[in-house]
């Protein structure tokens, strides 16, 4: 337990130092060059990474660290400052508002802003559906048939909850979890991205997705058994496994030990691809990374390991 506690302290300190005074979480856009090698990283300031970072820290209930509590407060402030009326978000200034940013930021803010607390944005969320009931990614524009992603749909269900108009989206997500999940992903790169989003939705009360739990348990287990899995993917898989409480403790403990070594060696947890920049049907033009998000996921996984709670 001593090593986990030390890794937690290191990760908390690093995260507190790297998240900006204004609450912006650092992330990078990495172009994919013609030969598929990575180009030079470009720093970005997006509310999305702050939102999913805050959702990752939900794994720590009532954090004891004053520094972490202050980080959460200033991150929420960043989300409020980047919000558009009546409670919607775009990935960057000048972009069209999108479902993923809006769902994740709404969940991260929760009741911390009256527009969100009173559901002023929910109508726009429900309007972002195509005729079969699935949610599109961009809330405006002509690309409704090309930008439908299962992770985005799971995040929308997590936000909107047990709503009758979410049934088509739920069927889409459940089918993706029971089949080759990658076929239902556009902006995300790995099936565990979907598993993580579904686990979050069920934790938040989306019973409509409960039948997807065996599928996401399988996805998480495959990652945890993979000796080559990156720290980012391990932390995602641990979030799923700890939510379900169906994966053996021994397998989870091995992953936790790998995350402890990652933090002790590098002072943080290194990122994998958190999502893709893509205009279908073309291949991805860039990949996005955030060591801050990877470290938040790792921090939460280590905190849960210190006191594992009940699953869903």
């Amino acid at each position: 337990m001593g090593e986990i506690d030390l890794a937690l302290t290191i990760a908390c300190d690093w995260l507190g130092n790297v998240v900006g005074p204004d609450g912006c979480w650092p992330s990078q856009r990495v172009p994919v060059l013609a030969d598929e090698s990575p180009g030079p990283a470009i720093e970005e300031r997006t509310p999305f990474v702050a939102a999913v970072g805050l959702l990752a820290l939900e794994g720590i209930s009532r954090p004891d660290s004053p520094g972490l509590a202050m980080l959460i407060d200033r991150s929420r402030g960043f989300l409020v400052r980047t919000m558009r009326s009546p409670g919607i978000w775009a990935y960057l200034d000048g972009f069209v508002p999108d479902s993923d940013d809006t769902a994740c930021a709404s969940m991260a803010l929760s009741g911390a802003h009256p527009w969100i607390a009173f559901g002023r944005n929910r109508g726009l969320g429900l309007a972002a559906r195509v005729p079969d009931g699935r949610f599109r990614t961009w809330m405006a524009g002509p690309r409704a048939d090309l930008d439908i992603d299962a992770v985005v749909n799971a995040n929308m269900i997590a936000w909107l909850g047990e709503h009758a108009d979410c049934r088509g989206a739920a069927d889409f997500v459940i089918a993706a979890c029971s089949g080759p999940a990658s076929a239902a992903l556009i902006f995300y790169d790995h099936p565990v991205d979907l598993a993580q989003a579904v686990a979050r939705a069920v934790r938040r009360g989306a019973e409509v997705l409960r039948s997807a739990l065996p599928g996401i348990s399988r996805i998480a287990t495959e990652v945890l058994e993979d000796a080559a899995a990156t720290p980012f993917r391990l932390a995602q898989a641990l979030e799923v496994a700890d939510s379900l409480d169906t994966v053996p403790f021994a397998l989870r403990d091995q992953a936790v030990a790998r995350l402890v070594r990652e933090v002790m060696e590098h002072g943080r947890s290194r990122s994998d691809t958190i999502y893709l920049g893509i205009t279908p049907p073309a291949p991805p033009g860039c990949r996005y990374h955030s060591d801050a998000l990877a470290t938040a996921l790792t921090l939460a996984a280590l905190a849960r390991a210190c006191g594992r709670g009940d699953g869903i």
Side-chain angles (χ1 to χ4, degrees):
M1 191 64 73
E3 280 199 340
I4 295 180
D5 286 336
L6 180 56
L8 270 170
T9 299
I10 292 170
C12 280
D13 289 347
W14 184 87
L15 191 61
N17 289 329
V18 78
V19 171
D22 65 348
C24 178
W25 287 51
S27 64
Q28 297 78 40
R29 172 165 50 93
V30 181
V32 177
L33 303 180
D35 61 357
E36 297 191 359
S37 63
I42 301 162
E43 294 292 329
E44 292 200 325
R45 291 176 52 84
T46 169
F48 187 72
V49 175
V52 293
L54 284 171
L55 292 176
L57 295 179
E58 284 185 336
I60 310 172
S61 60
R62 299 188 179 278
D64 296 329
S65 165
L68 194 56
M70 289 188 289
L71 180 151
I72 290 170
D73 284 344
R74 70 179 189 263
S75 300
R76 286 175 175 164
F78 180 69
L79 293 184
V80 170
R81 289 189 295 275
T82 53
M83 178 171 52
R84 304 179 190 178
S85 178
I88 56 175
W89 281 264
Y91 183 75
L92 289 172
D93 253 352
F95 278 42
V96 172
D98 67 87
S99 298
D100 220 15
D101 281 81
T102 297
C104 291
S106 295
M107 289 188 285
L109 271 186
S110 189
H113 191 281
W115 290 351
I116 310 304
F118 291 106
R120 286 191 55 190
N121 56 354
R122 290 175 62 85
L124 289 176
L126 290 168
R129 288 176 296 133
V130 295
D132 66 9
R134 294 177 299 165
F135 290 97
R136 57 187 303 177
T137 299
W138 307 105
M139 287 180 159
R143 302 189 52 77
D145 60 333
L146 296 176
D147 64 5
I148 296 175
D149 185 291
V151 177
V152 178
N153 276 258
N155 285 332
M156 289 293 279
I157 294 167
W159 167 40
L160 295 169
E162 289 290 319
H163 197 288
D165 289 337
C166 291
R167 184 68 254 181
D171 290 342
F172 171 51
V173 171
I174 292 166
C177 291
S178 62
S182 297
L185 306 182
I186 295 176
F187 299 102
Y188 288 88
D189 195 41
H190 195 288
V192 78
D193 293 316
L194 178 59
Q196 182 186 21
V198 170
R200 180 191 299 128
V202 177
R203 285 200 310 272
R204 300 178 75 91
E207 292 294 311
V208 70
L209 291 180
R210 187 165 285 276
S211 63
L213 296 186
I216 70 170
S217 179
R218 170 185 52 79
I219 292 168
T221 300
E222 288 172 356
V223 173
L224 294 175
E225 290 176 337
D226 182 3
T230 64
F232 180 67
R233 300 303 180 200
L234 284 176
Q236 288 181 296
L238 278 171
E239 181 178 327
V240 178
D242 291 343
S243 293
L244 298 175
D245 209 17
T246 57
V247 179
F249 281 144
L251 191 57
R252 287 189 264 172
D253 287 343
Q254 291 171 13
V256 168
R258 290 167 67 182
L259 291 182
V260 168
R261 288 196 298 271
E262 171 75 6
V263 173
M264 300 295 280
E265 182 175 350
H266 299 283
R268 68 192 192 285
S269 192
R270 294 167 296 169
S271 181
D272 199 340
T273 299
I274 56 177
Y275 42 83
L276 303 170
I278 183 170
T279 303
C286 54
R287 294 175 177 270
Y288 295 83
H289 296 258
S290 173
D291 285 359
L293 176 58
T295 300
L297 286 165
T298 293
L299 193 160
L302 297 181
R304 290 193 304 272
C306 286
R308 287 186 172 119
D310 295 332
I312 53 177

